[in-house]
Amino acid sequence: MVSYIIKRLLQMIGLMLAVAFISFSMFQYLGDPINNMLPESATQQERNDLRMKLGLGDPMLTQFGHFIVRICHGDFGISYYNQVDVFHLIMERLPATLELVIVAVAISLLVGFPLGVWSAISKNRLLLGLVQLLSLIGVSLPSFLIGILLIIVFSVYLGIFPSSGRGATTHFGLWSTGLLSIGGWKSIVLPALSLSLFMITLIMRLVRSEMLEVMRTDYIKFAKARGLHKASIYYRHALRNALLPVVTIVGLQIGGLIAFAIVTETVFQWPGMGLLFIQAINNVDIPVISAYLIFIALIFIVINTLVDLLYYLIDPRMKKS
Amino acid sequence: MKKYVLPLLLTCIATQAAEAENIVRWAVAADIPTLDPDAFASTTALTFQNHIYEALLQRDNDLKLQPTLATRWEFINDTTLRFYLRQGVKFQNGDDFDSSDVVASIARVTDPDSGIRANASTIKDAVAVDKYTVDIHLKQKSGIALNELSGVMMMDKEWMTQHNALKPTSMSQGTEGYATNNTNGTGPFMLVSRQRESQMVLKKNPTWWNKDHSEGNVDQIIFKPITSDATRLSGILAKEYDLVTSVPLQDIDRLRKDNTIQTLVSPSLRVDFLTFNLRDTLNAGNVDGKNPLKDLRVRQALMMAVNRQAISQKIMRDMTQVANTYLAPQIPGYDAANAIKLDYDPVKAKALLAEAGYGKGFKLAFDCVEGSYMNAPQWCQAVQSYWAKIGVTATLTMHTNSVYNQITDNGKTDIAVLGWANLPIMDAYSISVQLLHTNDNTGFGMFNIPRYSNKQVDQLIEASIPELDDKKRTDMLRQEINLAQADLPYMPMHYEPVVWVENKNLTLKQSPDNVVRLWYARVNQN
């Protein structure tokens, strides 16, 4: 077990270095931030000086080396555009993104599970067809469009929810949360809903197919024959066994939601990491872009490693191999 | 349960009363990266900082320079400007404003690490004469020192010393500064809170020196950056904002139908140009060993081939005017009598091309940028197709801003796009020095993308710089710009429109420099 974990850790470090290197080499083609940072009336000398100061004239490998050394000291540099510490900037945004993702996952589970169970056992063909059709739309519509539609309906016409922002936030040291006020909850509903739509559909379809499979097994038939209560059969016996693959998928999806919240955050002006990333790309803010990619890679790798370790614990057959 | 009802009711009434304040919710397309007035050169940042910080003299609602923190000034010799400061002015933390603050602020803006040092290029240093008199020394005799000083914000020396902020925040320091997120100005509003990318709240400064003479009645400003155009538009329609200063042109018609808001549209000071490559070689390949663009007749033909009127009507949605001069009418040096007279005439354009020996046409590399100039991708395409009609094949490439800058810097383009507003100094000096003077790598002609060079133009520009008589100076610049216009290194397209949408209850004058001055604004409660 210990050797397995050590092996995984070494793999993680190698993977992180690879991600860092690839992202870093990509930015060599992004352009030059100098013109965004200096006024129009700056002289050529001033431009060259700034380029020197930022180390943009160095060969790529040297820049990468400096970058890795600084990261190892916990120093992600200063954002070219915002002129503040990048680590601080990301930590400022992380709570917003995590909060959005957590609420989106909660919505997906709360809606997706019952819908999945219901669609597996319902006999109402008309309603079933309608839900299946809606879920198809949910999967195929791009999330920015869903976001805009939600804004048009709930903000512009009905005026129930605000179209953008995070509402009032409460701070606890580095962490901030919007979930302690009504305004905060109102603000999170639309972005979380638009982010969760894909996952709702995914969970629903997965639960349905797993349930249908479990329902065909013998022990369900026996349970029915014993005359057990229907709810007990569905929720205690069938659903439990259909749960495991669903949980795995949800776990893996969370990493994806964090990374792909970019679109939702842009549409709803949600002050999270995705918005920071988009802005950094526009301004060729290389320290922020690299740090963001490293953070996201880290989140992905940690989640995947945890899932692997869970398998290792759950499935005894893995220990032998 | 009952015992909660009364406090709850009272709270409701209390919040109601708080809402009776005059609040302006102001949405823009991008956040201000830093609140440090000397760190970052951007008109939008300056627009916001102007509500908190003030300069010695400033432009009013009609763009006239007015005394602000100084009551008057005079040249005591060619390179020394003496300022007499307003007495009794207090910073927002209660400190007094006096000459030591001016000296520290001037030292800060001219620091080698200052991001806006280039906007104070003529200023050398400041020396206090007494508590309320300051001498500002110039590097050389210059007629634009006052224009430049109107963009130099005054900061509190004691406050900067206390928070280790005497130098501007900059990359080289490697740390963020106190002034990035905290402010202490003398201006009409003070910062209450700042959440990056989310919102900033300003409230009225109760001790502002000019509050008794101010026509404005705004108590609170909530500044909201909303990056996505569609979201911002929805917010306007949902009445979430009172003022929106960046609105996509294509949505204006729809907004005009809504009678609770008013749409303000006017041409700005910014002229959008196309640049002609005047180097010896074309990037797309020379014709018969020559660069056709070096022939004035070819450049004239290219301008006549484009129906700029149609572009202004269709692509700019009839919200601006065709520009036939290099300067906007509000900029000193503008000369309507000498406007370029090359209206749309494709037949004549073709004839001119043939006359120059390029009747069969030629190829050009055309580089356009996304996101920098209003609707530029669309009007670049339109120009390309107009040129195709007279046989000139331009290969159009769209770029993002950061990549585009490298291309134009290195001259790897034949036709490029450029907009010039002459801000913040609002003087023909800006375009003359940056676009029209020969690029000599000493600071002249930094944005002279065509590599245009005319000795007479250079001489007039250089002669105008030390001229202190404003009339003579403007006259030289006018002559010089007329000469350059005749040479046609740049093809003016149109003025970029300024588009604001505001709540009907808000009275605010729109100015062509696209600067919001909310201390002049009035909210009518009803």
Side-chain angles (χ1 to χ4, degrees):
Chain A
M1 180 76 190
V2 175
S3 71
Y4 179 78
I5 292 178
I6 291 173
K7 220 164 83 188
R8 288 300 309 219
L9 277 177
L10 285 177
Q11 278 175 356
M12 273 172 73
I13 292 171
L15 212 56
M16 289 299 299
L17 272 175
V19 167
F21 183 73
I22 292 170
S23 62
F24 205 85
S25 52
M26 278 191 321
F27 302 129
Q28 303 298 314
Y29 303 100
L30 253 184
D32 190 324
I34 300 295
N35 272 304
N36 294 339
M37 295 167 71
L38 285 174
E40 286 170 341
S41 40
T43 63
Q44 190 62 50
Q45 187 60 41
E46 286 168 345
R47 274 158 223 273
N48 295 343
D49 287 352
L50 185 61
R51 204 167 272 140
M52 280 280 289
K53 254 183 212 166
L54 300 180
L56 292 171
D58 296 345
M60 203 236 319
L61 270 177
T62 318
Q63 287 190 46
F64 182 63
H66 288 314
F67 180 67
I68 294 294
V69 169
R70 278 193 285 108
I71 285 184
C72 293
H73 289 96
D75 174 13
F76 283 82
I78 301 287
S79 156
Y80 292 167
Y81 181 71
N82 283 300
Q83 313 216 330
V84 296
D85 189 56
V86 171
F87 184 74
H88 185 79
L89 211 56
I90 287 185
M91 286 315 290
E92 200 177 78
R93 302 305 192 81
L94 195 63
T97 297
L98 288 185
E99 214 162 68
L100 178 65
V101 168
I102 289 167
V103 174
V105 171
I107 293 179
S108 329
L109 292 176
L110 284 176
V111 179
F113 258 104
L115 261 185
V117 175
W118 171 81
S119 65
I121 58 180
S122 169
K123 300 281 184 288
N124 187 339
R125 287 190 167 271
L126 194 73
L127 213 57
L128 210 61
L130 191 75
V131 169
Q132 292 281 37
L133 184 76
L134 280 179
S135 79
L136 207 63
I137 295 174
V139 176
S140 32
L141 276 186
S143 67
F144 74 89
L145 196 66
I146 293 173
I148 296 288
L149 286 176
L150 287 175
I151 289 178
I152 290 177
V153 174
F154 291 102
S155 309
V156 178
Y157 287 110
L158 299 175
I160 312 175
F161 300 116
S163 61
S164 65
R166 207 179 160 201
T169 50
T170 321
H171 291 265
F172 304 99
L174 262 182
W175 196 263
S176 70
T177 176
L179 299 185
L180 292 178
S181 68
I182 298 170
W185 274 104
K186 270 186 159 181
S187 303
I188 207 169
V189 169
L190 293 186
L193 203 62
S194 103
L195 190 62
S196 63
L197 220 58
F198 179 79
M199 207 154 133
I200 291 178
T201 320
L202 186 80
I203 292 177
M204 189 197 114
R205 295 183 157 237
L206 212 68
V207 169
R208 181 182 132 90
S209 67
E210 288 293 326
M211 278 285 279
L212 284 178
E213 202 156 294
V214 174
M215 296 291 278
R216 278 197 293 271
T217 53
D218 288 343
Y219 74 92
I220 298 291
K221 285 178 190 156
F222 282 125
K224 277 183 181 164
R226 275 170 64 202
L228 287 183
H229 199 273
K230 263 192 178 172
S232 166
I233 297 175
Y234 294 144
Y235 292 100
R236 280 195 56 193
H237 295 87
L239 185 61
R240 264 195 188 177
N241 284 290
L243 219 78
L244 207 66
V246 180
V247 169
T248 315
I249 293 290
V250 169
L252 289 177
Q253 278 280 314
I254 292 176
L257 282 185
I258 294 174
F260 300 118
I262 291 178
V263 177
T264 308
E265 288 186 5
T266 312
V267 171
F268 290 96
Q269 195 67 32
W270 189 258
M273 298 208 298
L275 199 61
L276 181 74
F277 183 61
I278 289 288
Q279 188 203 41
I281 288 183
N282 282 334
N283 298 308
V284 203
D285 201 339
I286 296 167
V288 175
I289 305 175
S290 335
Y292 173 83
L293 285 176
I294 285 170
F295 256 76
I296 291 297
L298 189 69
I299 290 174
F300 259 96
I301 290 172
V302 166
I303 290 180
N304 283 355
T305 309
L306 283 179
V307 170
D308 279 3
L309 285 176
L310 270 179
Y311 273 0
Y312 195 86
L313 290 177
I314 292 166
D315 195 337
R317 282 170 298 183
M318 292 235 348
K319 280 179 188 154
K320 287 189 189 117
S321 59
Chain B
M1 187 65 210
K2 241 181 184 170
K3 67 179 177 187
Y4 294 115
V5 174
L6 191 67
L8 208 70
L9 218 73
L10 283 175
T11 328
C12 284
I13 294 167
T15 37
Q16 282 274 309
E19 273 169 15
E21 274 193 319
N22 295 324
I23 298 175
V24 174
R25 295 161 300 171
W26 173 15
V28 296
D31 198 9
I32 311 301
T34 163
L35 289 170
D36 187 333
D38 298 330
F40 194 79
S42 110
T43 318
T44 41
L46 192 67
T47 294
F48 185 81
Q49 288 154 5
N50 257 330
H51 289 86
I52 302 169
Y53 290 103
E54 289 175 309
L56 292 173
L57 69 167
Q58 248 169 289
R59 291 191 191 277
D60 64 3
N61 236 347
D62 300 313
L63 303 183
K64 297 266 180 305
L65 282 176
Q66 298 290 354
T68 309
L69 291 181
T71 49
R72 62 193 175 92
W73 49 86
E74 64 197 3
F75 272 102
I76 51 172
N77 61 45
D78 281 352
T79 56
T80 310
L81 257 167
R82 177 161 290 177
F83 279 89
Y84 299 91
L85 305 183
R86 194 177 294 280
Q87 305 194 10
V89 174
K90 282 196 182 303
F91 281 99
Q92 287 155 2
N93 69 350
D95 287 353
D96 284 320
F97 167 73
D98 58 38
S99 52
S100 69
D101 300 315
V102 180
V103 174
S105 301
I106 295 288
R108 197 172 193 270
V109 76
T110 52
D111 188 277
D113 280 339
S114 155
I116 67 158
R117 178 184 46 171
N119 289 346
S121 62
T122 57
I123 291 139
K124 196 169 108 199
D125 58 15
V127 176
V129 177
D130 60 44
K131 199 165 183 229
Y132 293 106
T133 317
V134 181
D135 282 351
I136 291 182
H137 296 122
L138 310 182
K139 283 181 188 153
Q140 73 247 3
K141 217 172 140 184
S142 162
I144 56 145
L146 286 174
N147 298 45
E148 291 200 328
L149 280 168
S150 73
V152 178
M153 299 293 132
M154 291 299 136
M155 298 172 77
D156 179 12
K157 189 187 175 190
E158 288 75 33
W159 181 78
M160 290 192 288
T161 316
Q162 189 186 340
H163 297 291
N164 191 23
L166 276 167
K167 276 170 169 275
T169 48
S170 88
M171 300 306 308
S172 59
Q173 281 194 331
T175 50
E176 60 180 284
Y178 188 75
T180 308
N181 294 311
N182 298 280
T183 60
N184 179 33
T186 58
F189 293 94
M190 48 208 280
L191 186 72
V192 178
S193 69
R194 161 158 157 94
Q195 287 168 276
R196 215 174 272 117
E197 287 305 305
S198 186
Q199 72 169 25
M200 283 194 268
V201 179
L202 295 179
K203 72 166 201 267
K204 195 164 72 177
N205 173 9
T207 58
W208 187 38
W209 58 271
N210 198 22
K211 67 178 192 303
D212 296 334
H213 305 100
S214 160
E215 53 199 86
N217 71 352
V218 176
D219 300 309
Q220 198 184 352
I221 302 169
I222 301 173
F223 177 89
K224 279 179 166 295
I226 310 286
T227 325
S228 150
D229 281 346
T231 312
R232 205 169 337 110
L233 183 71
S234 311
I236 304 172
L237 293 171
K239 309 288 175 291
E240 285 175 30
Y241 323 120
D242 304 303
L243 173 68
V244 185
T245 45
S246 34
V247 187
L249 289 186
Q250 50 272 22
D251 298 318
I252 299 299
D253 281 341
R254 180 159 169 221
L255 292 171
R256 278 187 172 145
K257 287 185 193 124
D258 190 327
N259 56 19
T260 60
I261 51 181
Q262 50 186 330
T263 337
L264 307 177
V265 184
S266 59
S268 72
L269 301 179
R270 184 186 296 277
V271 180
D272 283 349
F273 295 100
L274 289 176
T275 72
F276 294 121
N277 178 7
L278 301 178
R279 292 170 174 82
D280 288 335
T281 51
L282 269 190
N283 286 284
N286 287 5
V287 187
D288 308 327
K290 281 187 284 183
N291 172 3
L293 291 179
K294 289 189 92 169
D295 191 321
L296 176 63
R297 287 169 298 182
V298 172
R299 302 200 292 277
Q300 288 172 333
L302 287 178
M303 184 157 169
M304 287 167 90
V306 178
N307 190 346
R308 294 176 302 146
Q309 198 66 47
I311 289 177
S312 155
Q313 273 164 7
K314 300 287 176 207
I315 295 172
M316 304 311 280
R317 313 261 164 174
D318 220 358
M319 286 172 203
T320 182
Q321 285 142 25
V322 168
N324 283 315
T325 52
Y326 284 4
L327 292 178
Q330 294 90 341
I331 310 264
Y334 169 81
D335 187 356
N338 229 296
I340 306 167
K341 292 171 195 72
L342 294 170
D343 288 337
Y344 179 53
D345 191 343
V347 181
K348 211 170 162 196
K350 254 192 127 149
L352 260 177
L353 267 191
E355 193 188 314
Y358 300 101
K360 286 194 202 131
F362 53 90
K363 285 192 179 130
L364 290 172
F366 188 169
D367 294 280
C368 195
V369 59
E370 229 160 336
S372 288
Y373 308 113
M374 225 179 240
N375 289 2
Q378 287 95 317
W379 59 258
C380 284
Q381 273 167 9
V383 168
Q384 182 198 28
S385 60
Y386 278 120
W387 283 347
K389 284 180 192 161
I390 58 160
V392 176
T393 319
T395 315
L396 183 61
T397 324
M398 293 293 172
H399 302 278
T400 57
N401 197 12
S402 49
V403 176
Y404 180 76
N405 286 331
Q406 285 185 320
I407 291 172
T408 51
D409 267 5
N410 301 326
K412 291 198 176 117
T413 173
D414 297 326
I415 307 289
V417 176
L418 182 69
W420 208 263
N422 296 294
L423 290 173
I425 64 169
M426 262 194 81
D427 193 275
Y429 169 88
S430 169
I431 188 173
S432 304
V433 166
Q434 299 290 341
L435 267 65
L436 302 177
H437 193 286
T438 309
N439 180 311
D440 56 3
N441 278 324
T442 62
F444 282 122
M446 275 303 301
F447 282 80
N448 187 342
I449 300 170
R451 289 298 182 266
Y452 166 67
S453 177
N454 179 333
K455 281 218 170 68
Q456 235 183 318
V457 168
D458 289 357
Q459 278 164 7
L460 277 165
I461 294 172
E462 283 160 33
S464 81
I465 294 170
E467 180 55 64
L468 297 183
D469 182 334
D470 215 41
K471 204 181 156 303
K472 278 191 198 156
R473 193 180 66 87
T474 310
D475 223 52
M476 277 190 249
L477 290 175
R478 190 196 336 268
Q479 277 180 46
E480 160 263 319
I481 282 170
N482 288 343
L483 279 173
Q485 277 179 184
D487 288 340
L488 210 68
Y490 300 90
M491 166 176 160
M493 292 292 300
H494 45 251
Y495 306 102
E496 257 186 27
V498 190
V499 183
W500 295 358
V501 172
E502 60 181 40
N503 190 317
K504 271 264 157 72
N505 293 335
L506 184 67
T507 317
L508 175 65
K509 191 175 170 194
Q510 183 177 39
S511 42
D513 59 355
N514 208 355
V515 169
V516 175
R517 297 175 172 85
L518 277 175
W519 55 96
Y520 290 113
R522 287 198 66 82
V523 179
N524 307 310
Q525 299 272 1
N526 47 12

